[in-house]
Amino acid sequence: QVQVVESGGGLVQAGDSLRLSCAFSGDSFTIYHMGWFRQAPGKEREIVATINWSGHATYYTDSVEGRFTISRDNTKNTMSLQMNSTKPEDWAVYYCAAKFASGSDYKSAFQYWGQGTQVTVSS
């Protein structure tokens, strides 16, 4: 059974950096696209960044483009999100997600979700 577990959340001041990690287990990591999503209080969950199975294709939502970097290590079954120049609007619970790579779409229809890690950005 596929499991994904996030770590690395915490409290930072606006402008600081934070790195989130996601550990994958239960299947072959390289046949899964991966992604980060977030949900702020009172808002719907939204996509943050996604990466395809090989790591050669990435997608970022406009609000984090140029500040966040998604990456994966297929030798360690891990994915990361480097968050730089954080803003108060980045305050949310961040979720790691996995999608079986049956096709080239690596931006939607994720099947496996972690429990989330809280990121708090103070102004």
Side-chain angles (χ1 to χ4, degrees), residues 29-33 52-53 98-106 111:
F29 187 51
T30 55
I31 59 173
Y32 286 83
H33 303 313
N52 80 331
W53 67 273
K99 173 185 178 179
F100 181 69
S102 58
S104 60
D105 174 23
Y106 62 98
Q111 299 138 331

Side-chain angles (χ1 to χ4, degrees), residues 20-85:
L20 305 183
S21 295
C22 175
F24 176 98
S25 63
D27 204 344
S28 176
F29 187 51
T30 55
I31 59 173
Y32 286 83
H33 303 313
M34 300 294 294
W36 287 100
F37 296 75
R38 67 186 179 187
Q39 187 168 19
K43 296 186 177 181
E44 293 187 354
R45 187 167 59 191
E46 64 173 355
I47 191 170
V48 176
T50 61
I51 188 167
N52 80 331
W53 67 273
S54 68
H56 293 154
T58 57
Y59 166 81
Y60 297 92
T61 194
D62 287 348
S63 62
V64 308
E65 180 82 54
R67 299 189 298 120
F68 291 8
T69 302
I70 189 172
S71 61
R72 64 188 293 163
D73 186 336
N74 285 350
T75 67
K76 297 181 179 179
N77 292 0
T78 59
M79 176 184 64
S80 296
L81 184 70
Q82 179 66 40
M83 305 169 61
N84 296 333
S85 302

